[in-house]
Amino acid sequence: MSIHIAIHGVAGRMGRLILSRVLESDDLILAAAWEHSEHPAQRQEAASLVSMNDGAIRVSDEFSEQADVIVDFSLPQGTQSLLSHLLTQDQPPALLSGTTGLSSEMDEQLNELSAKTAVLHAPNFSLGVNLLHHLVNQAAKALPEGYDIEIVETHHRNKQDAPSGTAMLLGHAAAQARGVSLPGEGVFTRHGHVGPRPAGSIGFATLRGGGVVGEHDVNFLGDQETVSLSHRALTRDVFADGAIHALRFLHGKPAGRYTMLDVLGLR
């Protein structure tokens, strides 16, 4: 069965990786390619963005519903425009979004949209990272609170948000397992004479530099031992391949809010 795909943020780094996989696939058909109105890619043949020849679809800023699944890798303001459009539709396409930095209000809009269609939003589509998410949750449940949790993440110098969406995902997994709130227990900066480490807190350290794709370490630090769970992304392909795996999962699913744990069969 063919799946018709619309890509929002098609000219971005992840958008292009998704585009190339859709164009190369036997079961995925490019139905639309969207970018914001001022983008220089407007009205170009979408396939030309990845040096391929398929002139059927041109980049546009006009949303349509001619797709089974919309894949969104844009910026928060772009995702907001897309959500505002989809919420006016009676039967919108399924939505797979990897845009990070969404507000709590936008998360509520994703919940609202999930009453109409299948929705999956994830800050990271790597299958390994999402397995790590599950393992962190299990470790935080199993180990006593005397094991302090510290999360260290490293990304390339051009990364915009800190901590990364993936680091926050892992922090939420640990906090949920311990029955606490990450905003309440998270420690995101340390500078000067900060005193002893607060009991039960979840610490974050952010490193930026070079061309690092993404590295995440979750450390459980006890008095007599440490346990570390880690993931290293070697190329960006891992994120695109995971997103393609997820969109195939999402196609045909009933309305609802899904996660990558559903994709992995862990929930």
Side-chain angles (χ1 to χ4, degrees):
M1 180 192 306
S2 296
I3 308 173
H4 290 76
I5 306 297
I7 305 174
H8 183 225
V10 67
R13 184 176 291 170
M14 276 298 296
R16 292 176 192 235
L17 289 174
I18 297 295
L19 174 62
S20 65
R21 282 155 176 76
V22 169
L23 293 176
E24 292 167 353
S25 171
D26 292 331
D27 66 324
L28 305 178
I29 297 174
L30 183 66
W34 299 323
E35 268 296 350
H36 64 83
S37 60
E38 302 302 316
H39 198 284
Q42 280 294 330
R43 288 170 286 283
Q44 288 185 27
E45 293 181 5
S48 69
L49 296 173
V50 289
S51 301
M52 296 178 70
N53 296 315
D54 182 350
I57 301 296
R58 292 183 176 272
V59 179
S60 172
D61 62 349
E62 296 181 5
F63 296 132
S64 67
E65 284 67 56
Q66 305 303 312
D68 299 311
V69 181
I70 296 172
V71 179
D72 168 51
F73 282 96
S74 58
L75 296 173
Q77 57 267 35
T79 300
Q80 179 63 79
S81 297
L82 178 62
L83 285 173
S84 297
H85 170 76
L86 293 176
L87 285 169
T88 67
Q89 308 303 307
D90 293 329
Q91 294 182 308
L95 174 64
L96 183 87
S97 177
T99 302
T100 58
L102 303 188
S103 66
S104 58
E105 291 79 10
M106 292 173 70
D107 191 64
E108 284 302 314
Q109 288 180 314
L110 288 169
N111 285 334
E112 184 181 349
L113 183 63
S114 71
K116 297 182 175 185
T117 190
V119 172
L120 195 165
H121 175 264
N124 191 311
F125 283 95
S126 156
L127 301 184
V129 159
N130 285 284
L131 176 60
L132 177 62
H133 169 268
H134 175 71
L135 295 174
V136 167
N137 182 267
Q138 295 301 302
K141 285 179 181 177
L143 295 172
E145 291 188 5
Y147 285 75
D148 300 320
I149 302 175
E150 292 286 320
I151 299 172
V152 182
E153 59 102 345
T154 306
H155 281 87
H156 54 88
R157 64 173 64 90
N158 295 318
K159 179 74 172 169
Q160 297 293 310
D161 52 335
S164 69
T166 300
M168 294 298 291
L169 176 76
L170 298 172
H172 280 294
Q176 187 273 333
R178 290 194 167 177
V180 298
S181 160
L182 187 59
E185 299 299 332
V187 176
F188 300 99
T189 60
R190 292 186 176 110
H191 179 72
H193 187 71
V194 297
R197 186 183 195 280
S201 63
I202 299 174
F204 290 80
T206 298
L207 286 70
R208 293 287 179 267
V212 178
V213 175
E215 299 181 354
H216 295 85
D217 299 282
V218 183
N219 303 292
F220 296 84
L221 309 170
D223 291 332
Q224 297 175 313
E225 65 181 356
T226 65
V227 177
S228 297
L229 300 171
S230 302
H231 179 269
R232 301 286 183 270
L234 304 181
T235 74
R236 295 186 183 282
D237 290 345
V238 70
F239 308 125
D241 290 340
I244 294 295
H245 186 74
L247 73 84
R248 288 191 173 113
F249 164 86
L250 201 63
H251 177 238
K253 289 291 187 293
R257 187 81 185 260
Y258 297 87
T259 74
M260 287 299 290
L261 296 183
D262 296 307
V263 177
L264 291 172
L266 294 172
R267 192 180 73 156

